[in-house]
Amino acid sequence: MQDSPVVESAKICNGDALIDGAQSMTNEDEMLDVEHVLRFENEIDEIQESLLPCFEQFLMWPPNDCVTIEWVQDVMVILEQASQKMLPSEFCHVVPTLLVDKLTGAACSILCKEPNCVEINCQGEEDSRVIVVGDIHGQFHDLMFLFKHEGVPSENQIYVFNGNYVDKGAWGIEVFLVLLAWKVLMPHRVFLLRGNHESRYCTARYGFKKEVWAKYGDQGDDVYNKFLECFKELPLASVIANCVYTTHGGLFRSIHAAPSQRPKRNKTHRVDLGSLAELFKVKRSCVDCPYEGPNILLSDVLWSRPSNRYGLRDNTGQKLGLWWGPDCTEEFLKHHNLKLIIRSHDGPDSRAGKDNDLGNMLRGYSIDHDGESGKLCTLFSASDYPQFGKRRCNNKGAYAVLKFPDFASPSFHSFKGTERPMVDPYVDFGANNIDSSKLDSSQSASTSTLSASERFYPEGRRPEFDFGALGIYNAPCWSVELPDGSGGTQVVEVPRASLVEGLPLPPNIQEPHKAAYEYLFELVAGLKHMIVTRETENRARVSALKSRARKRKGQA
């Protein structure tokens, strides 16, 4: 894989330079030759030899619980190399559960002491910079690109992350662990805010829960619960240099206007704009966002969206959060003597085809409101999003750089991220939507009784052979997703082949390995048969079209 990043800046800034090659986290000589591994005619020993270097590296919690810059850098290097070379099922050998327990525990002990809205004071530091980052969604290589391009956190460089670290991407665990490591090392230079995907509801629906199961197997439930506990401790917003407000979703209602119970259909109630003083009082330690009561502000700040329509109103479509207009942005900025709001939550997919006159987010950022007191910006940092989904947006990611003396006039940097390894999705986008109102603790508990293979595979897509007996929970099945010709995908069943190469197997191969080999040989034969059949049909179709074209030309 070759890195080919392209960076554009919306505002020219002095001193913005790539870190030199000596500081790069990627050693190109150690990269795995993917084509070499996937070449089917090579022997299994050769494949295992190619994969061997990634298993020789593993992480340990530092002695005496002393996290150092060298340890954090090792975490980044090893996780980046592992993401290129290693199967998900091997991840637990590189990052053992003990390290996850220690790191999440150390981070929680710091995060739980931070207020709902953290204050970042840097006005008197003339050489200080604050980098604000939007949604990452498990796209680990975008995060690594950002650190390589702008530099890692330091005494003069503060990072503020607006949430949504996981889901819809293959490396949510890697993203969150790296950020937690930096938080433990530099708690006053790294600030991690909560996004709407840092919840049980979203992680069960959009892939992070299955990612944890795929990487930790039978220990997955314990590791997943550790992450949920950490999500609950994340602050909700920040104020930078007394002039910039950042959060994931946006503005929120007043506690005094919060409904005591969910409003009935077609019945409206008054919604007033809330204040930072009210945000400080929210009890954020909920694993999922409530629909009602005084803690509904938690839902608002994580789920709300801007609009060009004036006023503040419930988002009846998604049932969580609010819509707010330019007048609300102006009122909030003026009331708190702020000049800028940087929020995230909206990527190019949520803006596509919507008649709301807001930016399409293809550059990774958008200026949504511009009033007398200041501006409202939306920032999204996952490039070519989503990694897992029916259709990629081919968008750029972006981040904002705030500098002394005018922190309220950021420069926005768009980037086209690096190429990333191919990974099977952890989420089935063809499944029915989950109703969050029905996702309660009893339902969550009942899912834990399912076997790992039942939980991992979408309904109707499990392999016929139970690979769980071999500790494999992401084996291929007899259905594949192919382009449908209209920009989407369709699930196609692989046909059975009459001739299967490699069978019958030698008699010395024992069960369950014998059944696994037979299954895989039959699947490979079916795939080859499908490719040959489709190629033959395509050639016949092209030949027929050429024949018709010649006839028309002769008649003319």
Side-chain angles (χ1 to χ4, degrees):
M1 298 293 180
Q2 296 292 324
D3 291 353
S4 54
V6 178
V7 181
E8 298 175 0
S9 300
K11 176 180 173 182
I12 297 176
C13 297
N14 296 325
D16 293 336
L18 286 166
I19 60 176
D20 58 41
Q23 292 176 286
S24 173
M25 295 299 175
T26 305
N27 186 341
E28 195 168 315
D29 293 335
E30 294 178 4
M31 299 291 274
L32 178 66
D33 186 348
V34 177
E35 197 172 302
H36 172 73
V37 172
L38 296 181
R39 198 172 294 131
F40 186 76
E41 60 266 20
N42 290 339
E43 297 295 333
I44 293 177
D45 290 341
E46 185 176 353
I47 296 176
Q48 291 176 337
E49 184 179 355
S50 300
L51 291 173
L52 187 59
C54 72
F55 302 134
E56 294 178 345
Q57 302 179 78
F58 61 92
L59 293 167
M60 295 180 63
W61 185 247
N64 301 320
D65 298 334
C66 183
V67 173
T68 63
I69 182 68
E70 292 78 15
W71 184 79
V72 176
Q73 288 175 337
D74 284 344
V75 170
M76 292 198 298
V77 170
I78 291 175
L79 289 184
E80 186 170 28
Q81 291 177 353
S83 71
Q84 301 279 358
K85 303 177 180 181
M86 192 180 60
L87 297 172
S89 58
E90 299 294 335
F91 185 83
C92 59
H93 302 304
V94 176
V95 183
T97 56
L98 177 61
L99 186 144
V100 176
D101 291 346
K102 290 283 191 178
L103 183 54
T104 54
C108 283
S109 66
I110 296 170
L111 294 168
C112 70
K113 298 174 184 176
E114 294 183 333
N116 289 339
C117 182
V118 294
E119 296 183 8
I120 304 171
N121 298 314
C122 49
Q123 295 124 305
E125 304 172 15
E126 295 187 7
D127 57 346
S128 65
R129 305 196 322 159
V130 180
I131 298 176
V132 183
V133 184
D135 297 37
I136 300 175
H137 279 300
Q139 297 188 189
F140 181 66
H141 303 87
D142 284 343
L143 177 64
M144 291 298 97
F145 166 78
L146 174 60
F147 282 151
K148 294 171 190 176
H149 188 76
E150 290 294 340
V152 297
S154 65
E155 287 301 316
N156 297 326
Q157 181 151 285
I158 298 170
Y159 273 89
V160 178
F161 293 87
N162 270 356
N164 278 16
Y165 311 107
V166 302
D167 283 339
K168 300 188 180 181
W171 303 282
I173 294 177
E174 288 86 335
V175 168
F176 199 53
L177 289 180
V178 164
L179 294 181
L180 290 182
W182 280 111
K183 180 64 181 178
V184 172
L185 178 67
M186 309 189 75
H188 302 297
R189 288 295 179 264
V190 176
F191 296 91
L192 307 180
L193 308 184
R194 185 175 178 179
N196 66 307
H197 278 262
E198 278 71 65
S199 66
R200 179 174 56 200
Y201 164 60
C202 282
T203 52
R205 177 178 180 179
Y206 291 107
F208 181 67
K209 189 174 187 179
K210 289 185 178 178
E211 178 190 344
V212 176
W213 280 333
K215 293 178 178 179
Y216 283 97
D218 293 338
Q219 298 174 308
D221 282 334
D222 292 336
V223 174
Y224 177 65
N225 288 328
K226 289 288 183 183
F227 285 124
L228 290 183
E229 289 299 316
C230 205
F231 291 162
K232 294 193 298 183
E233 303 295 347
L234 295 171
L236 307 178
S238 77
V239 173
I240 304 169
N242 291 328
C243 62
V244 181
Y245 171 75
T246 82
T247 189
H248 181 73
L251 303 189
F252 45 91
R253 76 192 78 200
S254 171
I255 294 176
H256 305 296
S260 58
Q261 55 185 317
R262 194 183 306 184
K264 296 180 180 179
R265 184 176 296 180
N266 300 327
K267 185 175 181 179
T268 60
H269 65 281
R270 179 180 173 182
V271 181
D272 296 328
L273 187 63
S275 67
L276 289 179
E278 292 174 299
L279 182 61
F280 275 102
K281 299 177 183 178
V282 173
K283 296 180 180 178
R284 69 179 190 246
S285 58
C286 300
V287 70
D288 283 315
C289 295
Y291 284 100
E292 55 199 23
N295 245 26
I296 198 172
L297 271 66
L298 176 62
S299 303
D300 291 347
V301 79
L302 299 183
W303 285 87
S304 292
R305 287 189 160 101
S307 167
N308 276 337
R309 175 181 161 185
Y310 279 62
L312 189 67
R313 63 194 188 279
D314 283 309
N315 189 335
T316 56
Q318 70 180 15
K319 303 178 182 179
L320 290 168
L322 305 167
W323 290 104
W324 83 90
D327 56 326
C328 299
T329 296
E330 176 67 20
E331 179 183 345
F332 187 84
L333 291 172
K334 190 172 183 179
H335 179 74
H336 296 99
N337 197 27
L338 300 169
K339 297 180 180 179
L340 177 67
I341 297 174
I342 301 179
R343 45 91 59 182
S344 298
H345 188 46
D346 288 330
D349 57 331
S350 65
R351 295 281 177 93
K354 303 292 175 59
D355 186 19
N356 56 12
D357 296 326
L358 298 179
N360 59 22
M361 296 300 296
L362 292 178
R363 295 181 301 173
Y365 70 95
S366 171
I367 311 298
D368 294 330
H369 295 161
D370 190 353
E372 180 181 347
S373 297
K375 298 178 180 179
L376 166 72
C377 305
T378 297
L379 184 65
F380 196 80
S381 301
S383 67
D384 197 18
Y385 173 84
Q387 181 184 1
F388 297 156
K390 292 184 178 179
R391 184 180 301 179
R392 297 271 183 87
C393 295
N394 195 31
N395 64 291
K396 296 176 181 178
Y399 55 93
V401 179
L402 288 60
K403 292 183 178 181
F404 179 89
D406 190 4
F407 288 97
S409 298
S411 57
F412 289 94
H413 300 250
S414 297
F415 65 92
K416 191 68 177 176
T418 60
E419 292 186 33
R420 52 197 177 219
M422 295 295 293
V423 181
D424 290 333
Y426 297 120
V427 57
D428 177 25
F429 284 87
N432 295 328
N433 290 339
I434 298 175
D435 185 351
S436 61
S437 64
K438 298 178 181 178
L439 189 65
D440 55 22
S441 58
S442 61
Q443 181 182 5
S444 177
S446 66
T447 60
S448 65
T449 61
L450 299 175
S451 69
S453 58
E454 288 172 325
R455 292 179 303 197
F456 187 86
Y457 295 104
E459 186 176 355
R461 302 276 298 276
R462 287 182 60 193
E464 297 171 3
F465 173 73
D466 184 11
F467 281 88
L470 298 173
I472 300 172
Y473 302 111
N474 58 342
C477 57
W478 283 82
S479 57
V480 294
E481 285 192 12
L482 296 175
D484 61 5
S486 59
T489 58
Q490 59 180 340
V491 177
V492 177
E493 291 297 317
V494 178
R496 303 280 175 169
S498 57
L499 178 64
V500 179
E501 297 171 314
L503 297 183
L505 293 170
N508 60 327
I509 299 179
Q510 303 296 317
E511 298 291 358
H513 299 87
K514 180 180 179 182
Y517 284 133
E518 289 174 344
Y519 174 89
L520 292 173
F521 280 137
E522 290 174 358
L523 180 56
V524 169
L527 288 169
K528 290 175 69 174
H529 174 68
M530 185 171 70
I531 293 171
V532 171
T533 301
R534 286 189 168 228
E535 182 65 18
T536 303
E537 291 173 350
N538 287 338
R539 292 192 179 191
R541 192 177 301 112
V542 170
S543 178
L545 290 173
K546 288 181 178 180
S547 178
R548 284 196 216 108
R550 283 195 296 267
K551 287 181 180 179
R552 290 197 198 99
K553 189 174 181 180
Q555 291 172 354

